[in-house]
Amino acid sequence: MAMYFYDRYGLSVGTAGTLASLFGWMNLFARGLGGLASDAANRRLGMRGRLLVHTAYLFAEGAILVAFSYVDALAPAVAALVCFSICVQAAEGTTFAIVPYVAPKSLGAVAGVVGAGGNVGAVAWGLLFMFGSDGAAG
């Protein structure tokens, strides 16, 4: 993300990194927000409510990414990044709210797989970006 801001908007590496860090900062509250929304929906609609909230956050992520792809100015790009991050982190919260119902007798194993899955994905993407090509000629 920092390289995107650096390349696209001509920001310094430090400024681009600071703006990119906003994605992670949203995790301070947004994951809990997703869990709270899931719990509220569960009180009204049961598991269907949890799944609807989860779906809504995932749909919002996609819609915001489409909007982000059309943004040419820095301020709307940062706003889209923050909104996208809130939805990503909230969807993580809704995921963890669903986990206890997947296999109640195997809760520890399921929670471990769900929790570790993000780390595996992060390592895989990190390797892809480290050894992959950015598509630029030269």
Side-chain angles (χ1 to χ4, degrees):
M1 182 59 64
M3 291 308 297
Y4 175 81
F5 283 127
Y6 175 80
D7 291 339
R8 173 82 182 211
Y9 299 107
L11 301 175
S12 70
V13 172
T15 300
T18 299
L19 291 177
S21 75
L22 292 173
F23 188 91
W25 282 105
M26 297 304 105
N27 203 19
L28 289 174
F29 71 92
R31 188 177 292 180
L33 179 68
L36 287 173
S38 182
D39 290 346
N42 183 56
R43 279 191 292 279
R44 291 179 187 245
L45 301 170
M47 179 54 77
R48 177 168 286 164
R50 288 191 188 277
L51 296 174
L52 287 171
V53 168
H54 186 68
T55 301
Y57 275 120
L58 293 174
F59 181 81
E61 286 179 39
I64 293 167
L65 278 180
V66 170
F68 182 81
S69 71
Y70 289 102
V71 171
D72 290 326
L74 180 61
V78 172
L81 170 71
V82 168
C83 291
F84 173 68
S85 179
I86 289 170
C87 289
V88 168
Q89 312 307 338
E92 291 173 7
T94 63
T95 299
F96 287 117
I98 294 168
V99 164
Y101 302 97
V102 173
K105 291 185 179 187
S106 303
L107 178 58
V110 173
V113 169
V114 170
N119 295 331
V120 171
V123 169
W125 279 104
L127 292 172
L128 178 70
F129 283 117
M130 183 186 309
F131 297 113
S133 170
D134 65 0

